[in-house]
Amino acid sequence: SRKGNNYYEFVLFNDALMYGKRETLKRVTHHRTMPLDSCRIEGLPESPTGFIIKSRQKSFKVFAVSSEEKITWMQKLQQRTSNTETEETGIAPLWVSDSEVKTCQLCESIFTTFFRRHHCRSCGKCICSSCSANRIILTNISTVKPLRVCDLCFSNRNKSEDMIPLGRRKTYWRPADLIKQAQRLPQEVGDAHATTSMAPLNLP
């Protein structure tokens, strides 16, 4: 996570990757299911056990128990995502870790206990609240909830006059987003069959 290491157990299906946190010997709490058709797998050269999983909704670093396990996981994941044609613009950004920055990456104000860090859901930068007052719909992540974005990403999206402000915050919806919200259907992973047993991976 953004603040420290979390330990999850992963299950690899033919068309999806599911992970969760083990609570007891027989219980694992589901955290997220990621369709493999929107995933990308990248190496992490500076770490012998780490690699990166990118998808439309979430991108993060994972660390296996050993370098051998890392190679096995990467091979199996790449086999199932090798035909992925997801554009980079449709991939959720990898968040900058809290420990890597001491100041806002836009205005350079110093973070303190009360002047908190936030993350732009569009680019992943670590920024302050003043530099991330806007909320917009990022359809690759959510078609329902407006998400925090930094001023730079908000400006780059070329806000047009047809964007509709909602709520007290600077939140903008496009009419097309409102239509998608009304017509949305629950996301389903579909019929998947487990091909790889659970194995622990560590998410920072």
Side-chain angles (χ1 to χ4, degrees), residues 5 21 37 49 52 55 80 136 167:
N5 293 335
K21 181 172 291 187
D37 62 1
T49 61
I52 300 171
S55 74
R80 290 162 173 78
I136 60 176

Side-chain angles (χ1 to χ4, degrees), residues 24 106 111 118 136 170 184:
T24 65
L106 289 189
F111 292 122
H118 298 278
I136 60 176
K170 298 178 182 178
R184 73 184 188 278

Side-chain angles (χ1 to χ4, degrees), residues 134-154:
N134 295 298
R135 305 290 188 277
I136 60 176
I137 290 290
L138 299 173
T139 55
N140 61 302
I141 300 177
S142 173
T143 59
V144 180
K145 181 181 179 181
L147 302 173
R148 179 190 298 271
V149 293
C150 68
D151 291 348
L152 182 59
C153 287
F154 183 76

Side-chain angles (χ1 to χ4, degrees), residues 82-152:
S82 58
N83 295 324
T84 298
E85 297 181 355
T86 303
E87 297 181 0
E88 191 66 30
T89 53
I91 295 293
L94 191 66
W95 285 13
V96 175
S97 174
D98 284 8
S99 60
E100 294 179 9
V101 292
K102 303 298 182 184
T103 61
C104 172
Q105 291 187 286
L106 289 189
C107 70
E108 299 185 349
S109 297
I110 299 174
F111 292 122
T112 66
T113 302
F114 302 103
F115 192 67
R116 298 175 54 197
R117 296 169 172 82
H118 298 278
H119 284 81
C120 174
R121 270 55 171 183
S122 181
C123 69
K125 284 186 174 68
C126 187
I127 34 67
C128 67
S129 58
S130 298
C131 292
S132 58
N134 295 298
R135 305 290 188 277
I136 60 176
I137 290 290
L138 299 173
T139 55
N140 61 302
I141 300 177
S142 173
T143 59
V144 180
K145 181 181 179 181
L147 302 173
R148 179 190 298 271
V149 293
C150 68
D151 291 348
L152 182 59

